[in-house]
Amino acid sequence: LARATVNAGGTALTLEDLRPLVTNSLGAVNQNVYNSGTALLFNQRFTAAPVAELQYLGVKQVGLLSGVFGLYNSTDFNVYSDNGTTLKASIDGATGVATFSAINVTGAVFSVKAYGAVGDGVTDDTTAIQAALTAMSSGGDLFFPPGTYILGSSITIVVDNLRIIGIPGKSIVKAKDAANYQNMFTGSSRTGIIFQDLVLDANKAGREASLTTPAFCINFSNATDCEARNITAQNAIGHASGPGVAIAFGGTSTRCRVMHCRLLNNGVVGKAADGVFMSGTHNAIIECLAQNCLDTGFVIESSSFSMILGGQAKDCGAGWAITNASATTSVGNSAIGVVVDGWTAAVTGGIQIGLPAAGTAGNLNHTTVKGCTIWHTTGTGPAINVRRVGSGADGKVRYLDIEGCK
């Protein structure tokens, strides 16, 4: 934004001229509002944000000249910029005070704070988050500024082509204590949903006694081209009704990816939870870390042409598994360069390949395991366990290739 124009007087103002106008309402404007003195960016209605946050939102997410921006004051919201290059405003003549605000448009960034979210780690922000999503009928970016946002009930995604984003390590969404629901974020048959740069905490310690269902951070079924990028998903937990999962793209999901994510402290003894679970076709788990996940760190199940590429499973029940639990044959799955450092599951071992349930009719064919390291310091059970629980006409493990593992 090279310059700004004030409607009332028609006088061109430089960025330096604008600085004192916002000082009273935003505080230390030189630190909070401007990016390198050459571009004017902001993230949410009526609220200042640090330079690092503005740079991330403006440069990495939408570009310096994208979106619609405005200069706001308490008496006049007659403030618009329709091309991202000039800033038009009517400034309060009595006080000279103005603050910056985004005007959301299709495809733009929607801050949850613009819809009433607080992010103080105490207030239940579920209604505000849902309101922001409701406004995003054509998709766009749902942005969580730094803070801890409490989620009292599940958020269901009902639109496609949506990114749910934050600031790495600073934007936290946490399930509310004693809240009895399964999925923090969920959706069915969605396309192009991306979770990025968030910490998602299913809060097993605060919810275990109240849950009548497993707890998931992300749980999507039959998804297409959906991703989790640089997500920390932690404290999921299972239940007597079934295991929990930190990040799941299940059903017949296609071309979904979980990449550069951290799956931490999921499950407890007797209430198992996986780090990542994927089923369908052409899905991938890429360079992730699963630590202290009791059940399995990474699971590819009832899938074809899917893979686990790189990454590490440390001190999980089992490190990773490629299995088939369906009546249809699974084919062409692989695990390449995955490190397993310790495991505790005597039955499955460090790595499980096979058909873990009796009555599974489908085969598991042409599975490839290459360059994996299995390091055992605690626990019992085999390093690699190829097993078929069924018998007779049940499916079989066929054409398995294990190369270069140690």
Side-chain angles (χ1 to χ4, degrees):
L1 299 175
R3 68 185 185 89
T5 304
V6 180
N7 288 340
T11 304
L13 298 178
T14 66
L15 294 179
E16 293 295 325
D17 293 327
L18 284 174
R19 290 180 191 274
L21 297 176
V22 295
T23 301
N24 290 339
S25 57
L26 290 186
V29 65
N30 289 348
Q31 298 300 315
N32 286 344
V33 178
Y34 294 95
N35 173 13
S36 304
T38 59
L40 186 58
L41 304 169
F42 49 85
N43 77 310
Q44 61 204 28
R45 191 168 298 167
F46 316 138
T47 305
V51 167
E53 179 180 333
L54 303 180
Q55 289 174 333
Y56 181 82
L57 177 64
V59 178
K60 292 186 66 176
Q61 302 300 336
V62 297
L64 288 176
L65 299 180
S66 297
V68 174
F69 304 96
L71 185 63
Y72 172 83
N73 67 70
S74 59
T75 61
D76 185 1
F77 196 41
N78 182 25
V79 192
Y80 306 102
S81 169
D82 57 5
N83 58 12
T85 58
T86 59
L87 195 65
K88 297 179 179 180
S90 176
I91 295 175
D92 189 331
T95 64
V97 173
T99 59
F100 290 99
S101 169
I103 305 169
N104 288 321
V105 295
T106 299
V109 174
F110 291 69
S111 170
V112 294
K113 285 197 172 181
Y115 293 84
V118 180
D120 62 358
V122 177
T123 305
D124 188 338
D125 289 318
T126 310
T127 300
I129 295 167
Q130 192 64 65
L133 283 167
T134 300
M136 302 176 71
S137 59
S138 299
D141 287 353
L142 179 65
F143 178 59
F144 286 82
T148 298
Y149 301 85
I150 300 301
L151 202 60
S153 59
S154 181
I155 296 291
T156 300
I157 307 300
V158 297
V159 298
D160 296 329
N161 303 313
L162 172 72
R163 287 198 307 172
I164 301 172
I165 59 177
I167 301 298
K170 296 182 179 181
S171 301
I172 302 165
V173 184
K174 184 177 181 180
K176 186 176 182 178
D177 284 350
N180 184 20
Y181 64 90
Q182 178 170 306
N183 308 308
M184 295 181 69
F185 291 93
T186 189
S188 178
S189 302
R190 300 268 60 91
T191 297
I193 306 300
I194 297 173
F195 293 86
Q196 182 173 339
D197 299 331
L198 293 164
V199 177
L200 304 180
D201 189 343
N203 188 17
K204 64 184 181 184
R207 301 173 66 205
E208 180 179 357
S210 303
L211 284 168
T212 60
T213 178
F216 293 61
C217 296
I218 297 171
N219 187 13
F220 276 65
S221 61
N222 310 323
T224 301
D225 296 323
C226 294
E227 297 183 358
R229 306 174 183 167
N230 193 32
I231 295 293
T232 296
Q234 59 195 29
N235 296 319
I237 189 171
H239 182 262
S241 58
V245 184
I247 300 176
F249 291 104
T252 57
S253 292
T254 303
R255 298 189 303 274
C256 294
R257 297 191 296 177
V258 178
M259 51 198 304
H260 306 124
C261 292
R262 293 155 299 283
L263 305 315
L264 306 178
N265 304 315
N266 296 293
V268 297
V269 175
K271 297 180 179 180
D274 298 322
V276 179
F277 177 93
M278 305 189 83
S279 64
T281 61
H282 299 93
N283 299 309
I285 303 169
I286 303 170
E287 294 292 351
C288 293
L289 168 67
Q291 186 166 3
N292 297 324
C293 294
L294 304 176
D295 201 22
T296 304
F298 313 122
V299 180
I300 299 286
E301 184 167 282
S302 303
S303 300
S304 290
F305 308 109
S306 296
M307 70 185 306
I308 308 169
L309 178 62
Q312 181 177 1
K314 179 173 176 56
D315 297 329
C316 296
W320 58 262
I322 295 177
T323 58
N324 188 12
S326 73
T328 304
T329 291
S330 295
V331 62
N333 300 298
S334 60
I336 300 173
V338 189
V339 175
V340 176
D341 181 4
W343 63 89
T344 59
V347 175
T348 58
I351 294 169
Q352 178 181 201
I353 301 168
L355 292 83
T360 299
N363 297 324
L364 181 64
N365 290 349
H366 296 288
T367 302
T368 300
V369 181
K370 288 187 177 181
C372 292
T373 299
I374 308 100
W375 181 260
H376 183 248
T377 56
T378 60
T380 59
I384 301 176
N385 191 3
V386 182
R387 67 188 191 122
R388 172 183 181 248
V389 174
S391 61
D394 288 349
K396 299 175 177 61
V397 179
R398 305 169 67 186
Y399 316 119
L400 171 64
D401 181 14
I402 301 177
E403 299 180 19
C405 296
K406 57 184 178 180

